[in-house]
Amino acid sequence: MAAGHGSKPSLENGIEVTTEENMSQQADSSRAGSLDSVEQLDSHNAMERGLSNRHVQFIAIGGTIGTGLFLGSGKSIALTGPSIVLVYILVGLIMFILMRAIGELMYQDPSQHTFINFISKYVGKAWGHYAQWSYWIVLVLVGMTELTAVSRYFVEFFKTYGLDLSPWKWLIEIAFLAVLVMINLIAVKAFGEAEFWFAMIKITLIIGMIATAIVMVIMHYHYSAVTVQTTGSVIRTRAGTASLSNIFNGFTLAPNGWYNFAIAFPMVFFAYELIEFVGVTVSETKNPRPVLKKATNQIIYRILIFYVGALLAIMAIVPWRNFVPDKSGEFVSPFIMVFKYAGIDWASALVFFVVITAASSSLNSLLFSAGRHLYQVAVESPQTSPLRFFSLDQVSSHRVPARAIVFSGIFILLSPLVSVFPAITQAFTWFSSASSAVTIFIYILTMVAHWKYRQSADFSADGFLMPAYKVLDSLAIGFFVLIYLSLFLAPDTLWAAVGGIVWFLVFGTWCHFHMKKVTR
């Protein structure tokens, strides 16, 4: 990674400017270098800068909105009532701090294919090796989960029309993955276009639901009870009236007890997981510094609009105590309930169509990110490494890491095979849960890398600076530690927490011994 030193041009609004005042300030600072130009840093960047500002802004939006908002928000609302909005805001602010840290690092060197490279440079090569491999494995496991989810939602979508495609789930998974791999192989611009339209569909549904809720509240709309089909059974919902009083009447911070309030935090945290994806697109973005700055700064507004706005709209229509699970423990999608109450009978088909696009978007991004991370690991591997043997350190004529993408896709394709064997399925579920816990360690290492960067000779005073970094870095690290400890509180996350620690100790120790052996 190139470090900025000497009198280089500073970047303002995407235009390079050099003034005597800037040069004087840089000369007076013994620790703060200036930013190297993107052209200088790109001397070793084999990727194409094919993503436009439009692509990146919508990729950032898509990364903020996952399937959990459409399907899982009913469970989080039932857990602790209207105060779940406060949980989303608090966790969202911490994730914004994480993104500002990643943003500053990537702004300093936008030729890097992943923010994890900064862990290698500022925390240590062993920790970087741990983070790179762990993150790739997390991406593959989450990708397998998303592939399974896509086929499940696809089946549910056609079930609303009376068609049963469940015997063909495996074929649906293979077809979806093949299409997304091809999109990733064509060119980075094709990936950007796909993500743009995926995000547009999600945004349209959320804004449509919020607008519908506002109209129903203004009209003081009274709705009748409706029947909603879930995967496991049928739920008969109650009649009611749209009103803000549904949110504020009898409001308490922990209506179901402080235990439920506490375990809501890890649930919401995992809804935000992989929000950092926009940091993986920087090395393939046109005018990366101004685009990255805009995308990062707008994350907080997206959280307020798409999460907080949607949750308030839902609870204004549906009293939060009306969210109850069916016999199998599954909750109805709040989006389906709101549209059903508004008289839209095809609400289930609409929501499941959007959920398919959300899961496809997530899987598409996971393929993109997994390919880049595996490519980065291969580039840093010795010539005798199997990764070099399979040429995973090469880019195609379309300037994408095609072999690394295909290799990652092959591992994700194990998902249909895993579902065939119950014993393997159980082990896969455990590993997938543990992978979410491992992500917390990677976030902590990222914040440590940011802290060390600010104290290093590479620090650029004219960069995208996070204010009060000592306070905010410490706050974020402390919060991530608390989130991890909260995993021990609930039975369904206890073993994930244990698995994450085992992986951290075992693989982390191996990485340290391995790197010592390699550097001898």
Side-chain angles (χ1 to χ4, degrees):
M1 207 181 329
H5 296 289
S7 298
K8 303 285 194 304
S10 61
L11 207 87
E12 295 177 6
N13 298 324
I15 303 173
E16 291 185 345
V17 237
T18 303
T19 65
E20 290 185 8
E21 182 182 358
N22 285 342
M23 293 172 69
S24 175
Q25 289 174 351
Q26 292 163 8
D28 290 339
S29 175
S30 59
R31 295 179 60 249
S34 64
L35 294 169
D36 284 339
S37 70
V38 174
E39 290 74 17
Q40 286 176 299
L41 296 167
D42 268 356
S43 59
H44 300 293
N45 183 9
M47 305 293 189
E48 178 189 9
R49 291 195 176 275
L51 295 175
S52 67
N53 177 61
R54 171 176 63 91
H55 292 142
V56 175
Q57 302 309 322
F58 275 80
I59 286 169
I61 294 173
T64 310
I65 308 167
T67 56
L69 176 62
F70 301 109
L71 296 181
S73 51
K75 182 178 180 180
S76 59
I77 291 171
L79 201 60
T80 190
S83 63
I84 194 65
V85 173
L86 299 176
V87 178
Y88 268 94
I89 292 174
L90 289 173
V91 178
L93 288 173
I94 298 297
M95 299 307 285
F96 179 62
I97 293 172
L98 171 70
M99 286 307 303
R100 279 302 302 265
I102 292 174
E104 181 175 350
L105 292 168
M106 297 301 296
Y107 193 95
Q108 189 262 348
D109 186 354
S111 69
Q112 297 301 313
H113 304 302
T114 167
F115 62 93
I116 289 179
N117 287 354
F118 296 97
I119 296 176
S120 298
K121 182 167 186 181
Y122 297 111
V123 185
K125 290 188 178 296
W127 285 121
H129 193 70
Y130 164 85
Q132 284 178 334
W133 272 113
S134 296
Y135 198 69
W136 180 77
I137 292 170
V138 167
L139 292 171
V140 169
L141 289 173
V142 176
M144 292 172 71
T145 303
E146 289 293 344
L147 184 58
T148 303
V150 165
S151 64
R152 178 191 173 197
Y153 303 145
F154 197 85
V155 169
E156 290 299 321
F157 172 75
F158 279 95
K159 191 180 289 185
T160 61
Y161 295 101
L163 298 173
D164 183 17
L165 299 182
S166 53
W168 303 100
K169 282 184 66 176
W170 63 273
L171 186 58
I172 294 169
E173 292 179 12
I174 293 173
F176 259 94
L177 186 62
V179 170
L180 294 178
V181 167
M182 289 302 298
I183 289 173
N184 273 270
L185 294 180
I186 293 170
V188 69
K189 186 177 180 180
F191 164 81
E193 284 297 329
E195 283 304 297
F196 173 81
W197 289 108
F198 282 148
M200 184 69 79
I201 292 170
K202 291 186 282 187
I203 292 167
T204 301
L205 180 68
I206 294 171
I207 293 176
M209 192 275 293
I210 292 175
T212 300
I214 290 172
V215 171
M216 292 173 74
V217 168
I218 292 173
M219 293 175 58
H220 212 60
Y221 183 83
H222 179 78
Y223 51 83
S224 304
V226 296
T227 300
V228 182
Q229 179 78 40
T230 66
T231 305
S233 62
V234 176
I235 289 182
R236 178 74 174 173
T237 65
R238 303 174 188 175
T241 302
S243 170
L244 292 178
S245 62
N246 290 333
I247 300 173
F248 298 108
N249 279 357
F251 174 83
T252 58
L253 194 59
N256 291 331
W258 290 106
Y259 170 79
N260 280 353
F261 184 74
I263 64 174
F265 278 88
M267 180 183 296
V268 171
F269 171 80
F270 291 129
Y272 284 121
E273 196 176 31
L274 301 181
I275 193 175
E276 71 279 6
F277 171 67
V278 70
V280 184
T281 65
V282 179
S283 67
E284 296 168 79
T285 299
K286 302 173 185 175
N287 302 315
R289 283 177 172 144
V291 171
L292 171 66
K293 190 173 183 179
K294 181 179 179 181
T296 303
N297 281 334
Q298 290 186 353
I299 283 174
I300 191 66
Y301 305 116
R302 295 180 185 117
I303 289 171
L304 291 175
I305 294 172
F306 297 119
Y307 277 100
V308 175
L311 289 169
L312 289 174
I314 289 166
M315 289 185 287
I317 308 302
V318 187
W320 70 272
R321 294 188 186 278
N322 288 4
F323 287 100
V324 292
D326 62 13
K327 295 176 182 178
S328 64
E330 183 181 350
F331 285 80
V332 173
S333 165
F335 282 74
I336 294 178
M337 293 179 73
V338 168
F339 286 126
K340 278 270 192 179
Y341 286 144
I344 302 175
D345 294 331
W346 40 273
S348 294
L350 171 66
V351 172
F352 274 114
F353 171 74
V354 175
V355 167
I356 289 170
T357 65
S360 299
S361 171
S362 178
L363 182 56
N364 194 33
S365 298
L366 287 163
L367 270 171
F368 179 96
S369 187
R372 271 65 183 176
H373 281 88
L374 187 59
Y375 166 80
Q376 187 64 45
V377 173
V379 166
E380 297 178 8
S381 298
Q383 291 293 335
T384 55
S385 169
L387 300 180
R388 292 291 188 103
F389 176 79
F390 289 107
S391 300
L392 300 183
D393 60 329
Q394 302 296 316
V395 298
S396 69
S397 58
H398 294 177
R399 297 180 68 183
V400 297
R403 289 175 182 265
I405 292 169
V406 172
F407 196 80
S408 300
I410 289 171
F411 275 87
I412 292 174
L413 194 58
L414 293 175
S415 178
L417 297 177
V418 166
S419 60
V420 175
F421 304 100
I424 298 178
T425 302
Q426 188 174 2
F428 167 70
T429 302
W430 185 82
F431 278 114
S432 297
S433 301
S435 71
S436 298
V438 170
T439 306
I440 299 176
F441 287 117
I442 295 172
Y443 288 168
I444 292 173
L445 288 170
T446 302
M447 300 311 297
V448 172
H450 177 258
W451 179 296
K452 292 199 169 190
Y453 158 71
R454 290 296 291 265
Q455 296 180 331
S456 74
D458 296 337
F459 169 58
S460 299
D462 53 351
F464 178 33
L465 305 186
M466 183 170 77
Y469 80 92
K470 290 183 179 179
V471 174
L472 295 181
D473 282 351
S474 300
L475 178 64
I477 290 170
F479 183 83
F480 292 142
V481 170
L482 288 176
I483 288 290
Y484 201 99
L485 292 175
S486 69
L487 298 178
F488 291 96
L489 297 177
D492 58 338
T493 56
L494 172 61
W495 288 108
V498 173
I501 289 177
V502 170
W503 177 259
F504 179 78
L505 293 175
V506 174
F507 189 56
T509 301
W510 181 86
C511 286
H512 278 77
F513 281 112
H514 174 71
M515 292 311 295
K516 282 183 179 180
K517 182 180 177 181
V518 169
T519 53
R520 276 176 189 171

